[in-house]
Amino acid sequence: DAKTTQPTSMDCAEGRAANLPCNHSTISGNEYVYWYRQIHSQGPQYIIHGLKNNETNEMASLIITEDRKSSTLILPHATLRDTAVYYCIVRDNFGNEKLTFGTGTRLTIIP
Amino acid sequence: SQTIHQWPATLVQPVGSPLSLECTVEGTSNPNLYWYRQAAGRGLQLLFYSVGIGQISSEVPQNLSASRPQDRQFILSSKKLLLSDSGFYLCAWREDRTYEQYFGPGTRLTVT
């Protein structure tokens, strides 16, 4: 699986949009971009994933650049409960069972 | 809706003692099941996965083993724990037709 690079930590004011970047310059054509988050002492939570097109669900939006070498996860109106470590993962979905979690971005929502 | 359970939530065991962690999934059939470990301050490491009853794949060599005696039950075991086995153990599942993995609440194991 392609390696991802994320900032170690970020702060965001409560109520503002949180934009979390991820670089995956070695991504291959059949690899998807997945985002998970892990709130302290809990299991990771699936947020969203995409291949080429931008995606949106009830939790977040995922913006993938046209060359697919980077992406941004957007939490449109951050709340204190969004404080967590956010993981960007790239993987192919063909017989690949492994989700390789890096160290992620520690997002702190400031009241 | 699907739910995933793990127990115990926390465990303190001496070095050399055996281990058995259990994971069960409700609300789905024939899920793929996974065991991950997260050491303090580090990312998750996939230990085992299973695509069906009795089918176990190991991702890393270690003194742990896994078994799947029933469709929705996944067990992580050890005959003799090491200090390095301490960590946060997470079970996850995914449906065969989708690729998102859903995680349980985890077991925090401390080997003393």
Side-chain angles (χ1 to χ4, degrees):
Chain A
D1 292 335
K3 182 175 177 171
T4 62
T5 304
Q6 298 176 252
T8 303
S9 63
M10 292 180 62
D11 293 339
C12 179
E14 187 179 14
R16 303 296 295 270
N19 297 280
L20 293 94
C22 180
N23 287 323
H24 31 79
S25 59
T26 59
I27 193 170
S28 62
N30 60 345
E31 287 183 314
Y32 289 72
V33 180
Y34 283 79
W35 283 84
Y36 284 76
R37 72 180 182 185
Q38 188 173 21
I39 296 170
H40 183 62
S41 295
Q42 297 183 22
Q45 177 189 24
Y46 166 80
I47 300 173
I48 200 167
H49 76 282
L51 181 63
K52 296 180 182 178
N53 301 322
N54 298 337
E55 302 287 345
T56 295
N57 62 20
E58 65 279 3
M59 288 184 68
S61 295
L62 174 60
I63 308 298
I64 303 175
T65 58
E66 192 169 340
D67 63 7
R68 303 210 321 124
K69 293 185 176 181
S70 65
S71 60
T72 301
L73 178 75
I74 301 173
L75 308 177
H77 304 287
T79 71
L80 296 178
R81 288 176 294 181
D82 292 321
T83 293
V85 178
Y86 286 76
Y87 297 97
C88 169
I89 301 163
V90 293
R91 53 163 276 175
D92 67 71
N93 285 340
F94 301 98
N96 183 359
E97 297 298 331
K98 185 183 296 189
L99 279 177
T100 302
F101 286 77
T103 52
T105 296
R106 182 172 299 277
L107 175 67
T108 302
I109 306 302
I110 310 297
Chain B
S1 63
Q2 299 86 1
T3 56
I4 180 168
H5 304 278
Q6 286 186 246
W7 62 90
T10 59
L11 190 61
V12 180
Q13 292 283 96
V15 169
S17 64
L19 173 74
S20 180
L21 303 181
E22 189 164 346
C23 169
T24 58
V25 182
E26 296 176 358
T28 185
S29 60
N30 196 35
N32 285 15
L33 296 173
Y34 308 82
W35 277 112
Y36 288 83
R37 176 172 62 201
Q38 186 173 35
R42 304 186 68 178
L44 276 72
Q45 178 187 37
L46 178 63
L47 302 175
F48 301 94
Y49 70 89
S50 170
V51 299
I53 296 174
Q55 300 179 64
I56 308 295
S57 296
S58 175
E59 285 293 305
V60 293
Q62 58 210 315
N63 69 321
L64 300 172
S65 62
S67 62
R68 185 169 177 176
Q70 300 180 45
D71 181 45
R72 288 168 287 178
Q73 184 185 32
F74 205 20
I75 296 172
L76 183 70
S77 304
S78 174
K79 292 181 179 178
K80 289 184 178 181
L81 284 168
L82 306 173
L83 286 175
S84 57
D85 292 324
S86 292
F88 191 40
Y89 287 82
L90 290 151
C91 181
W93 72 274
R94 74 164 176 89
E95 293 180 355
D96 192 44
R97 61 177 178 84
T98 66
Y99 294 94
E100 304 97 73
Q101 292 186 14
Y102 298 93
F103 288 78
T107 294
R108 191 163 300 281
L109 171 67
T110 303
V111 182
T112 60

